[in-house]
Amino acid sequence: MGRHFLVTGGTGFIGAALVRRLLREGHRVRVLDDGSRGVARRLGDAAGKIEMVTGDVRDPESVIAAARGVDGVWHLAYVNGTEFFYTRPQIVLDVAVRGMVAVLQACAAQHVPELFLASSSEVYQTPSRIPTDERVPLLVPDPLNPRYSYGGGKIISELMALNHGCEALRRVVIFRPHNVYGPDMGTEHVVPQLALRLAKLAAAAPPGASIDLPIQGTGQETRAFTFIEDLIDGLMLLLAKGANRGIYHIGTDVETSIAELARQIGRCFNHEVRVRAGELAVGGTPRRCPDIGKMRSLGFEPRIGLADGLPPTVKWYTEAERSFTNGTDDVQPDR
């Protein structure tokens, strides 16, 4: 029998994909979003099947009203994108902390039994071991570096969900996505930035010519890129099987260098890519790759590798290029 969920940030990249899946699984969905980061377009046909509430997640009254009568809250409202960590740390932290307070207050006021919280791999910054399991200590290496506004806000959110106001909740589940990508994810991440830049360079290059691509870092920095559909599969497993106070990595354990990512995107345009190293932003992480053993114990297995996930993603950005400004010349490894 279907349940009723509130999704904060439900017009964001991950939020909209979650909303569509919840509907397909037979659940009712209410979305709380202020439209500052997400776009209703992402909901597609689902837009007419949900209750849409326009409101700021930092406003307790709005969140309490939106949580009325629901069986669970998926809290995804946040300010993400590596560029924003450096340029707008105040708003990143404000949404993180006041949003989490408002969601916990709403769950208590409306007697909501379950909370599913979106965290991030950024809580580790530079992990002490790779693959990284959920027991690795969380870290803010330098509070003076605005980059850590994002990871710090996620750490605070986790602490609050697990230790503040949680007595009113029957189940709290935290998931840490790892470098999720796919069509229509915005332009502040490495995959769309590379796709947009290489589309422009490929259009100006002779057929089959090699393309020189300046980047931040050496190109040997690594991430484990997770296609959006794999993430949502993992979230459905957590809905069914996630333990109370459980923390789970959702991603792939296939580690890919930024240089290799650029080469694979270049092949989508039938060009070879030669990366040209640059200076890595202060606070950039050399390697990141999760241990997904806990999710595997629930039956999770990522299905869509870069060879299958990049072509539709690059195609979407190539076709939508006129709607965006071109990606920054200082492409950096995604969080």
Side-chain angles (χ1 to χ4, degrees):
M1 184 175 181
R3 300 164 64 192
H4 192 187
F5 291 107
L6 170 65
V7 180
T8 72
T11 65
F13 171 55
I14 293 175
L18 172 62
V19 167
R20 296 194 301 269
R21 177 65 71 85
L22 288 171
L23 289 174
R24 288 202 301 271
E25 298 288 333
H27 304 292
R28 290 185 296 148
V29 179
R30 182 181 298 148
V31 167
L32 174 69
D33 206 305
D34 67 357
S36 62
R37 296 278 291 141
V39 286
R41 174 196 68 240
R42 291 189 175 113
L43 293 169
D45 294 341
K49 302 173 184 177
I50 65 169
E51 181 184 354
M52 186 73 196
V53 178
T54 300
D56 191 327
V57 74
R58 295 169 291 181
D59 176 23
E61 291 185 4
S62 294
V63 187
I64 288 171
R68 183 175 296 117
V70 302
D71 301 307
V73 174
W74 293 83
H75 181 35
L76 282 77
Y78 210 83
V79 179
N80 69 352
T82 308
E83 291 178 14
F84 289 101
F85 307 169
Y86 290 100
T87 62
R88 303 191 67 189
Q90 301 95 330
I91 190 70
V92 172
L93 283 166
D94 196 50
V95 171
V97 177
R98 291 210 287 150
M100 191 72 254
V101 170
V103 166
L104 288 171
Q105 289 176 340
C107 288
Q110 300 291 8
H111 307 289
V112 178
E114 296 189 338
L115 171 64
F116 300 87
L117 173 64
S119 185
S120 169
S121 61
E122 192 79 7
V123 297
Y124 301 109
Q125 182 39 37
T126 302
S128 57
R129 60 178 177 265
I130 295 186
T132 305
D133 61 63
E134 292 86 349
R135 297 167 297 176
V136 168
L138 312 187
L139 182 65
V140 176
D142 180 6
L144 295 175
N145 186 335
R147 178 192 176 92
Y148 305 129
S149 58
Y150 183 90
K154 289 294 189 183
I155 292 172
I156 293 168
S157 297
E158 289 195 20
L159 287 169
M160 293 184 68
L162 293 170
N163 300 289
H164 176 71
C166 59
E167 292 179 358
L169 292 157
R170 186 176 70 237
R171 183 167 66 143
V172 176
V173 180
I174 295 173
F175 58 96
R176 295 173 181 156
H178 281 252
N179 295 97
V180 183
Y181 73 98
D184 201 5
M185 67 179 296
T187 59
E188 301 89 9
H189 304 275
V190 68
V191 170
Q193 286 181 349
L194 286 173
L196 289 167
R197 288 185 61 206
L198 286 170
K200 181 179 179 181
L201 292 170
S210 294
I211 294 174
D212 287 339
L213 180 71
I215 64 168
Q216 287 191 9
T218 66
Q220 297 310 304
E221 297 81 10
T222 67
R223 298 294 184 268
F225 294 97
T226 308
F227 195 64
I228 182 65
E229 292 181 17
D230 282 336
L231 172 70
I232 302 302
D233 286 346
L235 296 185
M236 292 303 96
L237 276 173
L238 292 185
L239 176 58
K241 302 179 181 180
N244 180 38
R245 297 173 64 85
I247 301 173
Y248 300 89
H249 289 166
I250 307 181
T252 176
D253 50 9
V254 177
E255 198 173 356
T256 302
S257 72
I258 300 303
E260 176 59 24
L261 176 70
R263 286 190 287 267
Q264 291 201 35
I265 293 175
R267 290 178 197 128
C268 294
F269 299 104
N270 297 314
H271 286 273
E272 292 298 317
V273 172
R274 295 184 300 237
V275 299
R276 295 291 181 250
E279 185 176 351
L280 187 65
V282 177
T285 305
R287 292 180 67 195
R288 190 169 287 147
C289 183
D291 181 329
I292 56 174
K294 284 184 69 173
M295 284 301 299
R296 282 196 166 111
S297 73
L298 301 182
F300 176 75
E301 193 63 44
R303 300 177 294 108
I304 303 171
L306 286 173
D308 295 315
L310 281 178
T313 304
V314 172
K315 182 175 185 292
W316 191 93
Y317 279 94
T318 301
E319 293 176 350
E321 182 178 7
R322 62 182 178 275
S323 301
F324 300 112
T325 57
N326 287 325
T328 173
D329 285 342
D330 291 325
V331 169
Q332 57 187 302
D334 228 4
R335 58 185 175 78

